[in-house]
Amino acid sequence: MLSDNIALGRYVEKDSFMHSLDPRVKLLGLFVLAGFAFSINSFFDVSLMFGYTLILMILSGLSLAYYLKSLKSVLFIVAFAFVIQLFTRGGNTLFQIGFIRISDLGLFNAFIISFRIIFAVLLSSVLTLTTSPTSLAHALEDVLRWFFIPQKFAHEVAMVMTIAIRFIPVIANEADRIMKAQLSRGANFDDRKFSGKVKGAISIIVPLLVSALRRAEDLSIAMEARGYNGWEGRTRFKQFKWKLKDTLFLISFIVFCFVIIFV
């Protein structure tokens, strides 16, 4: 199934260290780390990022299969970025046929950009797999308010982003269902002709778009029926409590970012 290859946006309930952390420190720390993943520029940085990411994955208590699923969804992007970077100009020639030239600099850049994307996806998966959508929305709202963002704007941004992330697996399930329905009607998605591939894609995209709009309308009606009117007058059933382990995690990722930048 298509949805089985998507882990981003899913929440897996479990009793682990990462699950027990304050969602605010997880959001801030993992978001910053995902950003710093795009600043690594050496294999030493890659080894450090790999070690730290692996530790977080182990502390989440989840199987490696969940994280491999998240990588499957971006495998094409990683492969495309790798191929594009292979043809970087400069460096010593390693392989050349006609105008196609691969240098040591191009190969180095290809590996670095691939690792950047992989680490960013893995860190994002750690966040979504160990944090419920509701906690993620409240955490995002609090973090935005820490940076003096108006409460109304912070609440709306948090709600929109959380709904978007939460609907990733839902839309994937819907796409899988539509694809199976089209196959049962005789649709041919293995057509090697470009026109055939376009027709196959349209037969999935159009009903998927209609389904997404219908789900959005149903969601808005459900929210109105429950009296949702924005941030005004809203309270929280579950309050966040900052603990010692949250401070230790915050210190650990600050030290790690410092090492990545200056070492």
Side-chain angles (χ1 to χ4, degrees):
M1 293 179 60
L2 176 63
S3 58
D4 291 338
N5 294 332
I6 298 179
L8 186 64
R10 294 184 182 274
Y11 168 63
V12 180
E13 188 173 358
K14 198 175 182 67
D15 184 17
S16 72
F17 176 81
M18 292 301 298
H19 283 76
S20 64
L21 285 176
D22 191 309
R24 295 171 295 182
V25 73
K26 278 194 292 185
L27 177 64
L28 183 61
L30 294 176
F31 184 78
V32 172
L33 284 174
F36 271 98
F38 288 95
S39 66
I40 58 177
N41 52 18
S42 69
F43 286 114
F44 176 73
D45 292 343
V46 169
S47 62
L48 289 178
M49 184 66 74
F50 174 79
Y52 194 82
T53 304
L54 182 62
I55 291 174
L56 295 180
M57 291 165 60
I58 294 174
L59 291 176
S60 69
L62 299 175
S63 170
L64 185 62
Y66 285 104
Y67 298 103
L68 292 179
K69 289 178 183 179
S70 65
L71 291 180
K72 285 182 180 179
S73 61
V74 296
L75 188 60
F76 174 78
I77 298 176
V78 174
F80 180 77
F82 183 89
V83 172
I84 293 297
Q85 291 297 321
L86 276 179
F87 304 105
T88 302
R89 293 184 179 182
N92 301 318
T93 302
L94 298 177
F95 177 81
Q96 184 170 4
I97 297 180
F99 66 92
I100 300 177
R101 174 181 175 271
I102 298 177
S103 64
D104 55 353
L105 179 60
L107 188 62
F108 173 80
N109 289 337
F111 277 110
I112 291 297
I113 193 65
S114 299
F115 281 122
R116 288 176 178 177
I117 299 174
I118 289 173
F119 288 136
V121 172
L122 288 177
L123 290 169
S124 300
S125 298
V126 172
L127 174 64
T128 57
L129 286 170
T130 61
T131 312
S132 66
T134 303
S135 296
L136 191 60
H138 294 329
L140 180 58
E141 182 178 349
D142 287 349
V143 170
L144 289 176
R145 292 181 62 187
W146 287 351
F147 293 95
F148 306 103
I149 303 297
Q151 184 177 4
K152 180 180 179 180
F153 181 75
H155 176 80
E156 292 177 352
V157 170
M159 180 63 68
V160 170
M161 292 187 65
T162 304
I163 291 175
I165 294 174
R166 180 65 184 86
F167 266 74
I168 291 176
V170 175
I171 296 299
N173 286 327
E174 188 69 15
D176 187 72
R177 186 184 65 82
I178 293 172
M179 183 178 295
K180 289 181 178 178
Q182 297 290 19
L183 286 172
S184 67
R185 293 181 175 91
N188 182 17
F189 296 109
D190 296 327
D191 195 339
R192 296 185 178 181
K193 294 182 180 180
F194 179 76
S195 59
K197 291 183 179 296
V198 172
K199 291 180 181 179
I202 292 176
S203 66
I204 296 176
I205 293 175
V206 173
L208 183 62
L209 180 60
V210 173
S211 176
L213 293 175
R214 187 183 299 115
R215 287 181 179 276
E217 183 179 6
D218 292 341
L219 178 62
S220 65
I221 294 174
M223 293 174 70
E224 290 179 0
R226 289 169 171 79
Y228 177 80
N229 60 352
W231 65 274
E232 295 181 356
R234 292 187 63 82
T235 58
R236 298 179 185 176
F237 175 74
K238 187 176 181 180
Q239 300 294 326
F240 297 141
K241 295 181 180 179
W242 193 278
K243 302 177 183 177
L244 176 61
K245 57 185 175 182
D246 300 315
T247 304
L248 295 177
F249 177 76
L250 183 64
I251 294 174
S252 71
F253 93 79
I254 290 176
V255 172
F256 180 78
C257 292
F258 180 83
V259 172
I260 288 291
I261 296 175
F262 297 104
V263 176

